[in-house]
């Protein structure tokens, strides 16, 4: 899943630590989400949407090639 968190965070002048504190998660979690190494849980995705004041669809994009079953 692709996301726009890094750009949205930068627009607000927030560090990864700032966003992590708002989410009550570690900075490493924010880093992993931003770099596509970790897909957030649905509650965490909703929390991100609330913090940025945007719909989830504005934060995340479906990546049809990712997670597809082999041969599927």
């Amino acid at each position: 899943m692709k996301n726009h968190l890094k750009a949205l965070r930068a627009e607000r002048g927030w560090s990864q630590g700032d966003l992590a504190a708002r989410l009550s998660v570690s900075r490493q979690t924010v880093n992993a989400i931003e770099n596509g190494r970790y897909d957030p849980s649905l509650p965490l995705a909703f929390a991100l949407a609330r913090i940025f004041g945007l719909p989830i669809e504005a934060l995340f994009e479906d990546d049809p090639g990712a997670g597809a079953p082999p041969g599927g």
Side-chain angles (χ1 to χ4, degrees):
M1 182 168 28
K2 296 179 183 177
N3 69 73
H4 307 285
L5 296 182
K6 187 173 183 175
L8 292 167
R9 179 178 57 74
E11 287 174 4
R12 287 155 177 81
W14 297 344
S15 68
Q16 287 183 341
D18 294 335
L19 181 56
R22 291 169 190 264
L23 291 167
S24 299
V25 300
S26 70
R27 186 197 59 75
Q28 289 82 2
T29 297
V30 170
N31 182 276
I33 295 170
E34 284 186 357
N35 290 299
R37 292 192 316 271
Y38 172 71
D39 288 335
S41 66
L42 195 53
L44 185 54
F46 274 107
L48 283 161
R50 278 192 302 274
I51 287 170
F52 286 110
L54 296 168
I56 287 178
E57 295 86 354
L59 278 64
F60 299 98
E61 288 181 36
D62 186 24
D63 187 0

